[in-house]
Each structure stands twice: as C-alpha cells, then as structure tokens.
C-alpha cells in the first residue's frame, strides 16, 4: 500500500474498501464502525484506570450516584450495547457472558447476518499495574436463516469461516488492528481528536523471529515438546539464544511479535489439560490475523482454524507467531510424542 494512504482515517478506509469485502451489503462496514466507536469509549475509561483511588473502585458509588464497574464488565457492556442498540448484528457471544445473546434475531425484518464473539478486556490482570490490555473480536456469518432465532450453531463455527477478526490494544498508543480476509491493517488513535489513522498498512509477521513469549513459571507443568522447544530457544547456536518477552496480555504479546517477529505459546499443562486461552474469543481471531499476516497458529499439532468447536467457552493450547518458529515448535511437539 502506498505511503500516501498513511493519513487515511479508519472511517475513510472502511468506505474505500467496502467493495473488496466478500459480501458487500455494507453491514460488515457498519459492524467495524460500531467496534471503532466502542473502542474509543472503552479507551477513554481504560485511560482513567490509574485514577481509581480518586474516582472510586469497582463496587463503589461515584459522586454522581453511579455505580463504578470493573473495567472488564464496563468493556463488555459497552461493546454489547453499541452493537445491540444500533441493531448491527443478530447475536453476540462474550467471554464475560455464560451464554450467547440473541439480538432480535427472530424478527423477520431483521436482516442482520453476522454474529460477533468477543473478549472485551483481554489481559485484565494488568489493569491495576498500568500495563497494556486489549479487546479481541471475531465475526462470522450466521449459518441459520435470517428471520429465525440465532442458535448455538451460529457461534460454534470453525475459525476458517471467520469473515473478520481484530483487536484493539490500549497501549502507549491505542490501536485497532483488523482483517476482513484481505490482509491486516493497523490504525492508531489520535486521542486529541478521537480519530483512528491508518498507521500500519499490510502488517506482516517476519517469517523468522528472535522473541519467545510464554509463562515460564509454568515450565515444570508443560508437555515435553514445549520444554524441549524452550531449551532450544535458549541454546547458544546460530541466531539463538532468543529473547524472552511475556507481558501477560495476549493482545500486546501478539502485537509485538507481529511487528518484531516472535512466537507466543500458551500450552496445555499438567494443571490445565487444554491450556487457558479460549478458542472462540481469543485463539480463532488471533489465528485469522496471524495467517492473514503471513504467520501461523497451531495447537501444537493442528491448525487452530480447523478445530471444530464444541462449546462456547472451550479452551485450547495455543502456539502462534512467525511461521518458521511455529513450525519448529510443532516439530518439537511431534518428536516428543
Ligand atoms: P483475560 O484477561 O481475558 O482473562 O485473558 C488473559 C489471558 C491472556 O491475555 C494472557 O496472555 C494470559 O491470560 C496470561 O495468563 P497467565 O497469567 O496464566 O500467564
Ligand atoms: Mn483474554
Ligand atoms: Mn477477558
């Protein structure tokens, strides 16, 4: 993409690229627009997190008599409200909700075809310490007919059926990064005027990298293949040892690795037989972004996007990042079988 596009706003980009979407009803554009709006609202709140002692913590009542909410609950409400009130999608599933939410889906006038799955605040344990957090979203076309209630089948689709996915990272700068299956583009928020600008066109994982990101405190519980791969990362040979970087916010770790080249791992362990991360709210959208950016995402043996989901809050082991690094980790997994 030419550098002349670099001053383009997200709003302009969405309009200009509308016709390149696979389905061009404009609905997907409205959906991305609603995520853009909710991201700005949540960003504003996340930015105030450090003032918690001054304006009150979760569970308190603020000076206007409003209840203070935890930020993950706040983010969940804002994303759901934005998409529900504008009647943009026919269903939403969220990491913060036990079940999916149907939005007028049985109404025969409701022609909305998309469902959204969302992790409204990823890395929420980092809020208290002023470290980056994020929002992750995944979009599918419903498989049941319009005008009928959405069902669980609309949400339990394989990742390779996604039509869009992305994340917001509330970092030193706030960015919205997304794909509609035609590459990955990143937009940076100018907070002074509340506008996202195209700052990272056509993002690509370097094929090789020198960063590995894993919670090494769990090392003793990891499968042998992962233990051996970590040792390989630390070995002095060629361009190794690699650098270890682990923020504990998947969005931020992924974002850094996509720019610099690296691998993120949340393996299964003897404590958690499927790891920690959720297939539908975290792994599928990140896998779609990774593949669109020339990277790879695997559970150690299989492509994440080909896993058949069986339940909304399903967890899977997750290995994601620069192609050659993920393939190397898979080789170690196979050899340890
Ligand atoms: P969430 O805040 O949505 O529950 O997700 C946190 C996830 C992910 O962002 C992060 O990489 C991982 O949990 C960190 O887990 P550990 O603290 O076990 O390393
Ligand atoms: Mn998360
Ligand atoms: Mn979360």
């Amino acid at each position: 993409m030419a550098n002349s596009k670099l001053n383009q706003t997200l709003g302009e980009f969405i309009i200009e690229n509308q016709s390149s979407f696979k389905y061009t009803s404009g609905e997907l554009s409205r959906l991305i627009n609603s995520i853009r709006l909710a991201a700005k609202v949540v960003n504003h709140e996340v930015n105030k997190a450090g003032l918690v002692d001054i304006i009150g913590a979760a569970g308190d009542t603020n000076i206007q008599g409003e209840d203070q909410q935890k930020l993950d609950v706040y983010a969940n409400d804002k994303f759901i409200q934005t998409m529900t009130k504008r009647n943009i999608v026919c269903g939403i599933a969220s990491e913060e909700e036990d079940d999916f939410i149907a939005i007028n889906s049985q109404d025969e006038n409701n022609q909305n075809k998309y469902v959204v799955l969302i992790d409204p605040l990823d890395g929420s344990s980092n809020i208290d310490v002023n470290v980056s957090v994020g929002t992750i979203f995944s979009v599918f076309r419903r498989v049941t007919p319009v005008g009928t209630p959405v069902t669980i089948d609309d949400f339990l689709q394989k990742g390779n059926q996604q039509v869009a996915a992305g994340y917001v990272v509330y970092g030193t700068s706030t960015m919205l990064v997304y794909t509609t299956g035609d590459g990955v583009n990143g937009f940076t928020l100018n907070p002074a005027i509340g506008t996202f600008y195209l700052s990272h066109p056509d993002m690509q994982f370097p094929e090789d990298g020198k960063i590995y990101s894993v919670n090494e405190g769990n090392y003793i519980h990891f499968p042998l293949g992962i233990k051996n791969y970590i040792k390989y990362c630390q070995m002095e040979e060629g361009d190794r040892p690699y650098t270890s970087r682990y923020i504990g916010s998947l969005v931020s770790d992924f974002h850094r690795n996509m720019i610099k080249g690296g691998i993120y791992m949340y393996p299964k362990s003897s404590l958690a037989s499927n790891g920690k991360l959720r297939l539908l709210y975290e792994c599928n959208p990140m896998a779609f972004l990774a593949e669109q950016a020339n990277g790879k995402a695997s559970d150690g043996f299989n492509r994440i996007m080909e896993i058949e989901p069986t339940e909304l809050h399903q967890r899977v082991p997750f290995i994601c990042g620069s192609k050659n690094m993920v393939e190397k980790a898979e080789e170690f997994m196979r050899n340890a079988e």
Side-chain angles (χ1 to χ4, degrees), residues 66-79:
E66 299 156 342
D67 290 334
Q68 297 289 307
Q69 288 176 312
K70 283 178 80 169
L71 268 179
D72 40 14
V73 178
Y74 180 88
N76 186 48
D77 289 353
K78 283 301 158 208
F79 278 97

Side-chain angles (χ1 to χ4, degrees), residues 92-150:
I92 302 174
S94 164
E95 194 202 69
E96 297 288 335
E97 306 280 337
D98 290 340
D99 210 348
F100 65 84
I101 301 165
I103 303 164
N104 300 327
S105 60
Q106 75 291 354
D107 182 345
E108 58 190 36
N109 297 320
N110 184 340
Q111 294 298 306
N112 295 344
K113 292 176 291 295
Y114 296 104
V115 296
V116 173
L117 297 100
I118 190 160
D119 177 357
L121 208 65
D122 172 70
S124 40
S125 66
N126 278 324
I127 292 170
D128 294 349
V129 290
N130 206 356
V131 171
S132 299
V133 290
T135 296
I136 308 173
F137 63 92
S138 166
V139 183
F140 292 89
R141 275 171 81 91
R142 64 183 297 179
V143 291
T144 52
V146 287
T148 64
V150 284

Side-chain angles (χ1 to χ4, degrees), residues 23-292:
Y23 312 99
T24 54
S25 65
E27 196 187 333
L28 195 54
S29 302
R30 288 197 298 128
L31 171 49
I32 304 289
N33 263 322
S34 72
I35 288 172
R36 172 180 68 151
L37 174 61
K40 286 193 241 184
V41 174
V42 171
N43 176 63
H44 182 66
E45 205 63 20
V46 166
N47 270 225
K48 292 190 297 185
L51 294 169
V52 75
D53 291 339
I54 298 158
I55 58 180
D60 290 354
T61 306
N62 71 12
I63 199 149
Q64 286 89 25
E66 299 156 342
D67 290 334
Q68 297 289 307
Q69 288 176 312
K70 283 178 80 169
L71 268 179
D72 40 14
V73 178
Y74 180 88
N76 186 48
D77 289 353
K78 283 301 158 208
F79 278 97
I80 291 175
Q81 264 172 28
T82 309
M83 286 183 267
T84 309
K85 286 202 173 142
R86 289 173 178 72
N87 213 350
I88 293 203
V89 294
C90 55
I92 302 174
S94 164
E95 194 202 69
E96 297 288 335
E97 306 280 337
D98 290 340
D99 210 348
F100 65 84
I101 301 165
I103 303 164
N104 300 327
S105 60
Q106 75 291 354
D107 182 345
E108 58 190 36
N109 297 320
N110 184 340
Q111 294 298 306
N112 295 344
K113 292 176 291 295
Y114 296 104
V115 296
V116 173
L117 297 100
I118 190 160
D119 177 357
L121 208 65
D122 172 70
S124 40
S125 66
N126 278 324
I127 292 170
D128 294 349
V129 290
N130 206 356
V131 171
S132 299
V133 290
T135 296
I136 308 173
F137 63 92
S138 166
V139 183
F140 292 89
R141 275 171 81 91
R142 64 183 297 179
V143 291
T144 52
V146 287
T148 64
V150 284
T151 73
I152 189 75
D153 293 342
D154 295 312
F155 297 92
L156 297 185
Q157 299 190 51
K158 285 189 195 172
N160 61 13
Q161 297 301 305
Q162 288 173 103
V163 293
Y167 59 80
V168 185
V169 54
Y170 311 98
T172 42
S173 287
T174 291
M175 284 190 68
L176 197 156
V177 174
Y178 78 99
T179 182
T180 51
D182 186 23
V184 177
N185 291 287
F187 301 82
T188 301
L189 181 67
N190 177 344
I193 54 173
T195 303
F196 281 104
Y197 288 95
L198 178 60
S199 53
H200 294 63
D202 195 18
M203 298 179 82
Q204 301 267 329
F205 271 94
E207 290 217 334
D208 279 300
K210 293 189 66 174
I211 297 171
Y212 71 103
S213 318
V214 62
N215 186 342
E216 259 177 285
N218 294 328
Y219 183 88
I220 195 76
H221 301 293
F222 286 157
L224 183 62
I226 294 291
K227 283 181 174 164
N228 289 344
Y229 178 68
I230 291 174
K231 285 292 158 226
Y232 166 88
C233 293
Q234 297 169 340
M235 207 180 281
E236 187 151 32
E237 199 183 328
D239 60 350
R240 287 170 284 135
Y242 297 152
T243 296
S244 164
R245 288 282 182 276
Y246 188 73
I247 297 170
S249 286
L250 168 63
V251 167
S252 310
D253 280 309
F254 179 99
H255 186 72
R256 181 206 52 242
N257 289 351
M258 179 159 60
I259 291 172
K260 295 200 163 177
I263 185 169
Y264 175 95
M265 297 179 282
Y266 210 108
K268 69 173 185 180
S269 73
S270 50
L271 300 176
S273 58
N274 290 311
K276 175 182 183 187
L277 300 181
R278 319 270 184 158
L279 174 61
L280 297 179
Y281 311 113
E282 293 168 320
C283 304
N284 267 342
M286 289 317 213
F288 190 24
L289 286 160
E291 290 194 9
Q292 284 294 316

